[in-house]
Amino acid sequence: MNPLPPLGALRAFEAVARLGSVVKAAESLHVTHSAISHQLRTLEGFLGLSLFLREGKKLLLTEEGRIYALRVRGALGDMAEATQRLQSCPKPHDITIGVVPSFALHWLLPRLPDFKAKYPQYTVNLRAGLGFEDMSNGLLDLAIRMGTGNWEGLQQQHLMDETVLLVAAAHFMPRPQTLAEVQTAVVIANPAIQWTSWCQAAGLADWRPKPAYTYNDSNLEVEAVRLGHGIALSRLSLVSAAIEAGSLVKITEIEVPYQYPYWLIWPEKSSASRKLADFSAWIIGQANDFVNGRNS
Amino acid sequence: MNPLPPLGALRAFEAVARLGSVVKAAESLHVTHSAISHQLRTLEGFLGLSLFLREGKKLLLTEEGRIYALRVRGALGDMAEATQRLQSCPKPHDITIGVVPSFALHWLLPRLPDFKAKYPQYTVNLRAGLGFEDMSNGLLDLAIRMGTGNWEGLQQQHLMDETVLLVAAAHFMPRPQTLAEVQTAVVIANPAIQWTSWCQAAGLADWRPKPAYTYNDSNLEVEAVRLGHGIALSRLSLVSAAIEAGSLVKITEIEVPYQYPYWLIWPEKSSASRKLADFSAWIIGQANDFVNGRNS
DNA sequence: GGTTCATGTTAGTTTTGCTCACATAAAGAC
DNA sequence: GTCTTTATGTGAGCAAAACTAACATGAACC
């Protein structure tokens, strides 16, 4: 006799036990409530006993069910953790980098072939995201994040500052020519970018745009600008390549600092690995070139 | 993303890791080696790495695979143990009895309706087997075993003695009439039964049968006798009902003690449960009736 | 009393896991 | 050295399991 029930049924059961509801468990596991209901029925049939008291539409774990759920949860957790640990174990020739999605798309991606040419032995894994937990749990070799630095438990090095400027698509009509016309243009705003400094620098201290669109994802913002949907106060690193290519244009030469520069971060406990050194040296060089190109 | 691979694949992987071979893992899990091979491929695909080094037809675990297998084994073991514990938790109205298979078939089964009539509230679960581990791990309420008693860690009570005698099918021809004819009859022997005492009691101290068949399973032995395949020195409790019914006959009235009587055993730590008391009282009464019927 | 929400069930569909058949190659026997 | 045995891997087809859709039932809420 098989000492284990169908393992999928255990996973369903544990989710119901933890969340208190077939519907919630279904949502959690991305299946219909009917699938969960079937799994519970299969499991209880296999075990030859009920794991829940049914009171109308309420499901209440029996005491035996509660204890079983704790044991199953522990075991499933162990397997998941072992799986994650296995998948994240360091490979000397892979380098896994967490990056701000927009920075990855517009600044890093076009430059990566240069890294690859200089360091052909590395497999480069980009992981788009904004969080820090993948750094803590060992899934990343290093990350590029925006902020003010001073993150606890991480080593960090300033990579480069960022600025923001007004941009539009080259084909955008009517293209604002004066600050007065800027004030009547269709604006695409990003809630993460404050207009205060730019308005002051432009001599429009008392004016704030009333955006036609707000996008919290910078990739959406930049793409909307590129499509000619409006103008935006965008980060230079995201638009500089398009400006050089001629598909976007600066509306004015006014640039102001963005309050959150880019940082390289890596685990405090990280051994001084070769790949960390290689990538850091390369990207710092690239950042310096970018900044110097901007200032000449 | 699902943090767990297909759990069936983990089970397959763990078996290969433990047994060192796809073929052995397949045997262990009662599937073809092809199923295991597919599961390994699925798992390695999910994980994005190899768990084994393949050298010709050898499979060698990588170091990462070895560590992962240990974690998975622990987790699967926890689930299996939790499942078993859940399934074996005591139910007040179930009584689970471990019984010697032959005794169950020939002695206990015919009497169980009497128990059921007297104690209708119990669900009776018979578990045929000879071992003691199911007693230790809480799967049984009590057991009937043969032996000399004095088992450590168990409470025990002598149930009844056993005797052995020569029997044949009523239709068996030629039926031995004399001890001389016994010596030329087709003999079905059970390795667990010594002829020494019987031969001495029969005045044939220098004779031992050369069996045409030996069966280590008493059910096979008794059935073979019933089918007229030969004569056997069988345990009385197994054949008495058939003798009374006329399908088997005693070849002689010579009966000698069997060296291993029947015992009731139950866990030392067992609380004095009602069902234990009920069943013990009943079966001791039945055993006494059987023995008294034999002696009158 | 009507509506909403949760669980359970049946029937049909989709996916997964399995077997079968075969391929390949290494190890063992002669 | 050749033949046989044994192990692993793969593709195709089938069966079983898991899933969804639709509906039923009943409790809770308005």
Side-chain angles (χ1 to χ4, degrees):
Chain A
M1 186 183 87
N2 191 0
L4 279 164
L7 297 175
L10 287 179
R11 198 172 65 158
F13 160 65
E14 187 280 323
V16 175
R18 170 165 42 90
L19 299 169
S21 147
V22 166
V23 167
K24 285 172 180 165
E27 288 164 2
S28 167
L29 296 177
H30 309 293
V31 295
T32 63
H33 86 276
S34 171
I36 299 297
S37 191
H38 279 301
Q39 291 281 25
L40 289 187
R41 186 188 171 94
T42 297
L43 180 58
E44 286 176 320
F46 175 95
L47 295 170
L49 54 82
S50 278
L51 295 162
F52 296 92
L53 293 167
R54 269 90 170 170
E55 289 176 7
K57 65 180 191 182
K58 276 184 192 166
L59 276 186
L60 299 168
L61 270 172
T62 62
E63 179 58 16
E64 299 155 355
R66 190 184 68 79
I67 293 168
Y68 190 52
L70 288 173
R71 298 294 305 274
V72 168
R73 180 172 309 148
L76 287 173
D78 284 352
M79 285 178 179
E81 197 256 335
T83 303
Q84 189 192 53
R85 187 179 291 263
L86 180 68
Q87 284 175 304
S88 68
C89 75
K91 303 175 185 63
H93 297 299
D94 277 38
I95 183 163
T96 306
I97 309 154
V99 215
V100 180
S102 54
F103 188 76
L105 190 66
H106 293 98
W107 193 90
L108 185 55
L109 263 186
R111 290 167 168 80
L112 272 183
D114 182 69
F115 176 77
K116 193 64 165 170
K118 287 171 170 149
Y119 301 95
Q121 71 275 30
Y122 291 122
T123 300
V124 179
N125 305 318
L126 293 190
R127 299 290 177 260
L130 300 171
F132 289 80
E133 59 284 348
D134 281 354
M135 179 68 65
S136 309
N137 67 22
L139 288 172
L140 303 174
D141 291 307
L142 79 168
I144 299 168
R145 289 288 180 266
M146 307 186 80
T148 53
N150 280 323
W151 289 288
E152 222 172 308
L154 293 169
Q155 299 195 62
Q156 57 230 251
Q157 175 169 348
H158 180 270
L159 181 60
M160 69 183 187
D161 288 329
E162 178 65 289
T163 61
V164 295
L165 71 167
L166 267 192
V167 289
H171 59 82
F172 182 69
M173 291 294 177
R175 187 184 302 172
Q177 305 279 16
T178 66
L179 291 177
E181 286 166 356
V182 164
Q183 285 171 279
T184 58
V186 175
V187 168
I188 300 159
N190 184 328
I193 296 183
Q194 303 257 338
W195 282 68
T196 313
S197 298
W198 187 89
C199 287
Q200 282 173 335
L204 300 172
D206 293 330
W207 175 76
R208 293 295 179 274
K210 184 173 171 142
Y213 312 90
T214 74
Y215 298 143
N216 72 329
D217 184 311
S218 298
N219 285 335
L220 292 177
E221 168 210 317
V222 170
E223 181 66 4
V225 170
R226 201 185 64 79
L227 291 171
H229 293 179
I231 67 172
L233 189 62
S234 292
R235 294 172 5 228
L236 177 64
S237 62
L238 308 188
V239 294
S240 65
I243 293 171
E244 283 183 35
S247 60
L248 295 188
V249 297
K250 295 179 182 180
I251 293 174
T252 80
E253 294 296 318
I254 304 168
E255 267 180 60
V256 296
Y258 182 62
Q259 70 204 67
Y260 304 118
Y262 296 97
W263 296 77
L264 283 180
I265 61 175
W266 62 97
E268 198 158 56
K269 300 187 185 96
S270 177
S271 59
S273 75
R274 185 58 196 249
K275 55 188 173 181
L276 189 56
D278 286 343
F279 187 81
S280 296
W282 175 82
I283 198 169
I284 289 170
Q286 291 293 312
N288 285 346
D289 289 348
F290 178 75
V291 165
N292 290 343
R294 186 167 79 199
N295 290 345
S296 62
Chain B
M1 187 183 89
N2 191 359
L4 279 164
L7 298 175
L10 287 179
R11 198 172 63 161
F13 161 65
E14 188 280 325
V16 176
R18 170 165 41 90
L19 300 168
S21 147
V22 167
V23 167
K24 287 174 180 163
E27 286 165 3
S28 169
L29 296 178
H30 309 294
V31 294
T32 63
H33 85 276
S34 169
I36 300 296
S37 189
H38 280 300
Q39 292 281 25
L40 289 187
R41 185 190 174 94
T42 297
L43 181 58
E44 287 178 318
F46 175 95
L47 295 170
L49 53 83
S50 278
L51 295 162
F52 297 92
L53 293 167
R54 269 89 170 171
E55 289 176 7
K57 65 180 191 178
K58 278 184 191 166
L59 277 185
L60 299 168
L61 271 172
T62 62
E63 180 57 17
E64 298 155 358
R66 191 183 68 79
I67 294 169
Y68 191 52
L70 288 173
R71 298 293 305 274
V72 167
R73 180 174 308 148
L76 287 171
D78 283 352
M79 284 178 179
E81 199 257 333
T83 302
Q84 189 192 55
R85 187 178 292 261
L86 180 67
Q87 285 177 303
S88 69
C89 73
K91 303 177 186 65
H93 297 299
D94 275 40
I95 183 163
T96 306
I97 308 153
V99 214
V100 180
S102 53
F103 188 76
L105 191 66
H106 293 98
W107 194 91
L108 185 56
L109 263 186
R111 290 169 169 77
L112 272 183
D114 182 70
F115 176 77
K116 193 65 169 172
K118 287 173 170 150
Y119 301 94
Q121 72 272 31
Y122 291 121
T123 299
V124 180
N125 304 319
L126 294 189
R127 298 289 177 261
L130 300 171
F132 289 78
E133 61 282 351
D134 281 354
M135 179 68 65
S136 309
N137 67 23
L139 288 173
L140 303 174
D141 292 305
L142 81 167
I144 299 168
R145 290 288 179 266
M146 306 186 79
T148 53
N150 280 324
W151 290 289
E152 223 174 308
L154 292 170
Q155 300 196 61
Q156 58 230 250
Q157 175 168 348
H158 179 271
L159 182 59
M160 69 183 189
D161 287 330
E162 178 65 290
T163 61
V164 295
L165 71 167
L166 268 191
V167 290
H171 60 82
F172 181 69
M173 292 293 179
R175 186 184 302 174
Q177 306 279 16
T178 67
L179 290 177
E181 286 167 355
V182 163
Q183 284 171 282
T184 58
V186 176
V187 167
I188 300 160
N190 185 326
I193 296 180
Q194 302 258 339
W195 283 65
T196 310
S197 298
W198 186 89
C199 288
Q200 283 174 331
L204 300 172
D206 293 329
W207 174 74
R208 293 294 176 275
K210 185 181 168 127
Y213 312 91
T214 75
Y215 298 142
N216 71 327
D217 185 311
S218 300
N219 284 335
L220 291 178
E221 169 210 315
V222 171
E223 181 64 5
V225 171
R226 202 185 63 79
L227 291 173
H229 292 179
I231 69 173
L233 190 63
S234 293
R235 295 176 358 232
L236 180 64
S237 63
L238 308 188
V239 295
S240 65
I243 293 171
E244 284 182 33
S247 60
L248 296 188
V249 296
K250 293 180 185 179
I251 293 171
T252 82
E253 293 296 318
I254 303 167
E255 267 180 59
V256 296
Y258 182 63
Q259 72 206 66
Y260 304 118
Y262 296 97
W263 296 77
L264 284 179
I265 60 173
W266 62 97
E268 198 158 57
K269 301 186 183 97
S270 179
S271 59
S273 76
R274 186 57 194 251
K275 55 191 175 181
L276 189 56
D278 286 344
F279 186 81
S280 295
W282 175 82
I283 198 168
I284 288 169
Q286 291 292 313
N288 285 345
D289 289 349
F290 178 75
V291 166
N292 289 343
R294 186 167 80 198
N295 289 345
S296 63

